[in-house]
Amino acid sequence: MTTDTDIQLSGPFKAVDSTGRSHDVKGIRIFDEGYGIIDVYVDFAAPVEPGLYKDKVLAGKVIDQLRTLGYKGPDFGPSDPGLQDRKLIVLEAPEEFSAFAKSKGWKNLAEEFDEE
C-alpha cells in the first residue's frame, strides 16, 4: 500500500530467500520525510512467512536491487517486529542510506533543528 507521502525507489523484481524460495516483490519505498533513521518498506505480491524480515539472504537481494539504482553503502538490518506485515517487510537503513534517499527526494526533518 502506497500513499502520496511515499517515495517509490524500485518497481517489481524477484528476490530469493535463504531457503531458495523466490518471492515477487512489488516495490521498495520509503516515506518522503523523517528523522534520521529511514525504514525501507518492501511490498510483496503475496503473503510472506512470519519472520522473513530477519532473512539475511532476502535482505541482501533487496539491497542488491537498491545498489543497481545507485545506493552505495553497507547492508541493512531488520526493523521493529511490530512494523512487519503479511505482505510487507520493513528494513532499517544505516545512516549512509540518507544520501541516496535525499537524491530521491527524501527530507531529513532533523536538519531543520541543526540550523538553529
Side-chain angles (χ1 to χ4, degrees), residues 17-61:
D17 65 24
S18 61
T19 68
R21 192 172 354 171
S22 180
H23 301 275
D24 290 323
V25 177
K26 289 173 50 177
I28 303 171
R29 61 188 167 88
I30 58 174
F31 287 126
D32 64 351
E33 58 186 24
Y35 292 95
I37 303 291
I38 301 173
D39 285 324
V40 177
Y41 297 84
V42 183
D43 296 299
F44 292 86
V48 296
E49 295 291 319
L52 192 63
Y53 70 99
K54 295 186 258 181
D55 190 297
K56 291 181 181 184
V57 173
L58 181 66
K61 298 301 181 189

Side-chain angles (χ1 to χ4, degrees), residues 71-86:
Y71 170 61
K72 294 174 180 24
D75 291 352
F76 301 179
S79 191
D80 187 320
L83 295 175
Q84 313 305 322
D85 205 353
R86 291 180 48 234

